[in-house]
Amino acid sequence: SGPIGIMAAMPQELQALLDLMPDESRVQRGGREFWRGHLGGREVVAVLSGIGKVAAATTATLLADAFGVSQLWFTGVAGGLGADVRVGDVVVASALLQHDLDASPLFPRHEVPGLGVSRLHPPAALVTQVADAVAEALSPQALAPGGPLSHIHLDTLGLHAPRVHTGLIVSGDQFVNSAEDADTLRHHLPDVLAVEMEGAAVAQVCVAFGLPYAVVRTVSDRADASAHVDFERFVRSVASPYSLAIAMALLKA
Ligand code: ADE
């Protein structure tokens, strides 16, 4: 019954949400600015996650404990690792894992000490709901002339129509930008779809608080040597409008 917590990875994404909130008010806590108000008729708290696992976990903890959110959504970008995960696609997490967590030999590689598992799973019903919302928000009609996202010129940007993938997202305190590091991740986790720096940490916090959560990422790069190229432009022209459209579709659901 509490508000929905929306964590945005990038300032442009947060701003797009705030622009649609008629009544937002700012609350400062833990060096962060939380925005309380309404979006799509629902009570929400929107906030910038901060980059990396600790920053994101701190933000998620505050949303859970100080703002009493009833569920938590994370939107941002990620590096694509799955063979058919292309720049401009969207990945919905059905599992999250911290790829840089290794307390072996005390615990198996990647296992979260205390939880006895390495993979955390958002509620299956929410995963389905999010994947459906993404498919609706980014449908061919939405991107076609006259549609709500017709201002995104995918062909000019060299992008394909977005595909929606559901599966494993891994997180670690590292921006992956070499083919070698990307290969290492695929070697240890053959079913990995995407890599980012926050999702699995947020998942661990949500497990601690018993909160439903969802992680949605637009693929901005292939986690190789060209990963930083045009990052800003991609976020501004593609990832932000995508994440806003996805959030609005989800709020309707
Ligand atoms: N977020 C977007 N691209 C990423 C990458 N290549 N590695 C980690 N986080 C990312």
Side-chain angles (χ1 to χ4, degrees), residues 31-197:
R32 287 143 169 78
E33 295 185 334
F34 295 82
W35 298 90
R36 257 204 294 234
H38 289 80
L39 189 65
R42 306 271 295 269
E43 208 185 324
V44 302
V45 183
V47 61
L48 207 54
S49 74
I51 296 172
K53 296 197 300 177
V54 174
T58 303
T59 306
T61 302
L62 287 167
L63 281 172
D65 207 41
F67 293 88
V69 300
S70 57
Q71 56 180 294
L72 206 160
W73 304 344
F74 192 110
T75 76
V77 293
L81 290 176
D84 62 344
V85 177
R86 303 189 288 200
V87 172
D89 286 357
V90 174
V91 181
V92 179
S94 60
L96 294 126
L97 171 150
Q98 297 173 52
H99 69 76
D100 58 354
L101 176 50
D102 185 359
S104 60
L106 303 182
F107 300 92
R109 181 175 198 149
H110 297 147
E111 182 169 308
V112 184
L115 293 187
V117 293
S118 56
R119 295 178 182 223
L120 302 180
H121 300 279
L126 186 53
V127 173
T128 305
Q129 213 175 41
V130 173
D132 290 348
V134 176
E136 184 200 315
L138 307 184
S139 69
Q141 300 90 291
L143 288 152
L149 296 181
S150 61
H151 58 288
I152 304 177
H153 299 289
L154 290 176
D155 41 356
T156 317
L157 295 160
L159 299 178
H160 301 88
R163 287 190 289 204
V164 189
H165 309 266
T166 301
L168 175 64
I169 294 180
V170 298
S171 314
D173 286 316
Q174 181 194 10
F175 186 83
V176 179
N177 64 344
S178 80
E180 197 187 350
D181 289 344
D183 281 340
T184 301
L185 288 171
R186 280 186 288 259
H187 170 77
H188 287 292
L189 302 155
D191 61 332
V192 67
L193 294 181
V195 59
E196 35 86 317
M197 302 178 67

